Amino acid sequence: MNTVTKEIHNLGQERLLKLIETKQAVVGVLGMGYVGFPLALECVNKGYHVIGFDKNSEKVSLLAAGHSHINDIDENKLKEALHTKRFQVSDNMASIQDCDIIVICVPTPLDKKEKIPDLTYIDSAVDSMIAYGKTNQLLILESTTYPGTTKKKIAERMEASRQMNIGTDFFTAYSPERIDPGNIQYEVSDIPKVVGGITKTCTELASAFYSTIVNSIHPVTSAEVAETAKLLENTYRYVNIALINEMALNCRELDIDIWEVINAADTKPFGFQKFNPGPGVGGHCIPIDPFYFKWVANQKGLKTKLIDLADEINSEMPISVSDYAIKLVNKEKRSILLVGAAYKKNTNDPRESSALTIMGDLMKKGCETDYHDPFIGKIRLDEGSVKYSVPFTKEQIDQYDVVIIHTDHDDIDYSILQDTSPVIFDTRNVCSDKLADNLKLVTL
């Protein structure tokens, strides 16, 4: 590379840095889901012009009309962003060429049968980048994935297809999403961003961008470190949830209140972190991320014993809930109501929710099964059948033999359960001592 070429590349890098510093960079966010949508709004809030991309034309139309599809994002915030004329939503990937920064926030699910990574959405996003990208763009992956994805699936593909050099002609980094749906305590800007680039320049540019969005960044030496940090965060939670779930099941058989045990242990000011048991592990991160690490480790012949054991315990939890619910009533035909279908309180997100597994198993075992969720009006079970949310009234509740409290939404008035006839199986410990006096109550 001659001196003139080096100078041109440096000018391109300096131009991109200047666009970031002055908020003149156009930011494209690929994927308007639970991660990309709030990130896009935060970028608008910080002064950027943002194009939110999604291949779902129905979602694009909904957002363009000012309607939020995510329960904990205020529509007024969306309408304000649209009103500024600095936010637009599009299903036309050709507009990627108008962007200076591209952030990929697409799903990274598991193949359900084999529990192996499915990077179809990332591959599709990179295809769009190859087709419509330009030189001197900063490309950041936020989707959770196994270490090596950013380099092999994005940087090396872009290099080979576009004949561009990483760190000079274009810039690529990984910064894991840390959005916590339903958690109103932490805004996007409050959550520190881990940033790891393919080259040092890539890290510096990505860090410069995120420094204008969030309050704190943590640069690391490589994209692989950043990718693995995300997997560690949620594998840690997955393993500890398995531990407390196993403790809960054993304490029940020993006639010991696991919730009292947890509260007692939590009084220790050091060396203990509180985890609560539950009916299963759901959502887009915790039940998926450990298997991205497991897959890449197993590819190298490495063992993942704790992940394997945690998977065994957590996967059995929904079935143990349905089995116990059936045992609570000694009759041939049982009717059961699940309260909450979302995987997490105060969200309208049923992805990987254990409620789907529990309902499917109950139905397979001959139980008449319904659900109530104030945020989710309709769900599709794994076997394909559709269920609609029923009213949460005393008249409706009295029709059932057992009520399973699955998701502890704050908007549910649990006092309605007082003086009702079914057994209340509380998997979330939301029924207070006051309510317990007027309930046929059992817990995990």
Side-chain angles (χ1 to χ4, degrees), residues 1 26 37 81-82 90 94 124 134 161 171 189 192-193 242 251 261 272 282 340 345 359 368 386 390 413 426:
M1 187 180 294
V26 176
F37 181 33
L82 292 168
S90 176
S124 178
K134 61 184 180 181
S161 300
F171 312 95
S189 60
K193 291 291 288 180
C251 281
V261 170
F272 179 81
K345 67 185 295 183
M359 280 194 283
E368 294 179 2
V386 175
V390 301
D413 182 6
D426 184 2

Side-chain angles (χ1 to χ4, degrees), residues 95-152:
S95 296
I96 284 173
Q97 61 193 338
D98 300 325
C99 300
D100 303 293
I101 301 167
I102 300 289
V103 187
I104 298 176
C105 303
V106 297
T108 47
L110 285 175
D111 177 280
K112 288 192 174 182
K113 290 184 178 179
E114 302 296 330
K115 286 193 174 181
I116 60 175
D118 178 0
L119 300 186
T120 303
Y121 295 97
I122 288 181
D123 288 336
S124 178
V126 178
D127 288 342
S128 297
M129 284 298 305
I130 290 171
Y132 304 112
K134 61 184 180 181
T135 58
N136 295 316
Q137 280 179 318
L138 171 61
L139 175 57
I140 304 171
L141 177 63
E142 285 207 3
S143 306
T144 303
T145 187
Y146 57 81
T149 301
T150 307
K151 182 177 182 180
K152 294 178 181 178

